[in-house]
Amino acid sequence: MDSRAGAVQKPENGGGMRIQIVEDDRALGEGIALALEEPGTEFIKNAEVRTAKEDFQRQEPDVIILDLNLPDENGFTYLKWVRSRSCVPVLILTANDLELDEVKGFTLGADDYMTKPFSLAVLRARIRNLTRRAGQAFVYEIDDYVFDFHRLVFSRKGREISLSRNEQKLLRLLVENRGRILTREVLMDRLWTDGAEYVDENALSVTVNRLRSKLEEKGSSGYIRTIYGQGYIWGKEERKK
């Protein structure tokens, strides 16, 4: 098996996409659905965060169009909630044109950001791009490992490895940023997105050590390296010749 990490793209299925539109302007939501309508496409329409969460749990969408100014909670709250359990593509569509909001959206895991007023043609193009990605299962093959983040199945030499939700999130962050050092601050911010005001720093060390113990064989050099004083990186240490 190739030792280089890469995403193996599975063919798109023939079914339509399920698009969730979280927008409190019902007329605008209907207009967006009309513009994106294609054979087989399903729409989940929500005007508030509470019902968006309920519908997400009943029928997880393939892509989300998210307004930020919602009547019950800020859209960022829903984005953080979604990112704590799914990597479904999210496009923020909002009247907020502040650079700070755009940066915050991408920091919390949004895949795209558009401001109102907007072009329906451009929205269609961007959603088409995101739905292509949603139709792909991201599988990483690294030496003896297979990490399937679509089906949440992980294995080494064909033997399945059981990982907790935070271990899965940590593994994905490390693999997708392989070769780059991720600081403890960044990892803690991305792993604990439930709004907790205080998280013991030891929680990250415990999660890293548990993930290492599940992935690595005794006596073998692992992929999760500690860069002291900085953070962690995915990648075996190169031996000096």
Side-chain angles (χ1 to χ4, degrees):
M1 187 178 292
D2 195 334
S3 62
R4 294 170 297 174
V8 179
Q9 298 178 0
K10 294 182 180 179
E12 297 182 26
N13 58 41
M17 284 290 166
R18 181 179 292 128
I19 300 175
Q20 182 178 43
I21 302 172
V22 187
E23 169 62 65
D24 64 333
D25 185 332
R26 297 184 185 278
L28 178 58
E30 292 292 342
I32 291 171
L34 194 61
L36 299 177
E37 190 171 16
E38 291 183 0
T41 302
E42 299 176 27
F43 293 97
I44 308 168
K45 301 168 190 173
N46 304 103
E48 54 189 22
V49 171
R50 179 183 59 81
T51 57
K53 289 180 178 179
E54 293 172 354
D55 285 343
F56 183 98
Q57 291 175 315
R58 279 195 291 264
Q59 43 183 346
E60 183 171 344
D62 297 298
V63 65
I64 298 172
I65 299 173
L66 175 64
D67 187 16
L68 295 181
N69 301 313
L70 299 167
D72 58 341
E73 293 185 77
N74 189 284
F76 288 132
T77 303
Y78 185 55
L79 175 59
K80 290 173 67 175
W81 183 87
V82 168
R83 278 294 166 262
S84 71
R85 52 192 33 82
S86 173
C87 55
V88 57
V90 177
L91 181 146
I92 293 176
L93 183 62
T94 177
N96 296 7
D97 59 356
L98 296 176
E99 182 178 329
L100 186 63
D101 284 332
E102 186 171 355
V103 170
K104 183 175 181 179
F106 285 122
T107 300
L108 292 177
D111 297 271
D112 205 347
Y113 192 104
M114 289 183 67
T115 56
K116 304 172 184 175
F118 59 93
S119 160
L120 285 174
V122 172
L123 177 63
R124 277 195 298 269
R126 292 193 179 190
I127 291 298
R128 193 173 297 117
N129 180 53
L130 291 181
T131 52
R132 274 199 298 267
R133 291 173 51 191
Q136 301 167 350
F138 291 93
V139 182
Y140 292 86
E141 299 183 357
I142 309 168
D143 289 340
D144 297 327
Y145 297 104
V146 177
F147 303 138
D148 187 335
F149 290 101
H150 181 73
R151 296 186 300 122
L152 300 181
V153 175
F154 313 94
S155 64
R156 185 180 188 279
K157 294 182 178 179
R159 298 182 63 180
E160 190 167 337
I161 303 168
S162 177
L163 300 179
S164 69
R165 177 178 294 174
N166 262 13
E167 289 164 356
Q168 294 168 13
K169 290 166 66 177
L170 174 60
L171 178 61
R172 182 169 187 131
L173 284 168
L174 291 168
V175 170
E176 290 189 340
N177 292 279
R178 54 196 180 276
R180 292 173 51 196
I181 298 172
L182 296 179
T183 66
R184 293 181 61 86
E185 291 75 15
V186 166
L187 289 173
M188 290 183 68
D189 184 61
R190 294 295 298 274
L191 290 175
W192 285 277
T193 56
D194 57 0
E197 293 184 5
Y198 175 76
V199 177
D200 189 340
E201 280 200 26
N202 187 53
L204 176 60
S205 299
V206 170
T207 304
V208 170
N209 289 334
R210 285 178 177 169
L211 180 60
R212 276 182 174 144
S213 68
K214 291 181 179 183
L215 294 181
E216 300 168 9
E217 288 185 331
K218 290 184 178 180
S220 64
S221 58
Y223 281 92
I224 303 175
R225 294 165 48 206
T226 301
I227 308 299
Y228 292 98
Q230 299 182 62
Y232 301 94
I233 188 172
W234 178 275
K236 284 189 175 181
E237 187 174 4
E238 294 183 5
R239 294 181 178 178
K240 295 181 179 178
K241 295 183 179 180

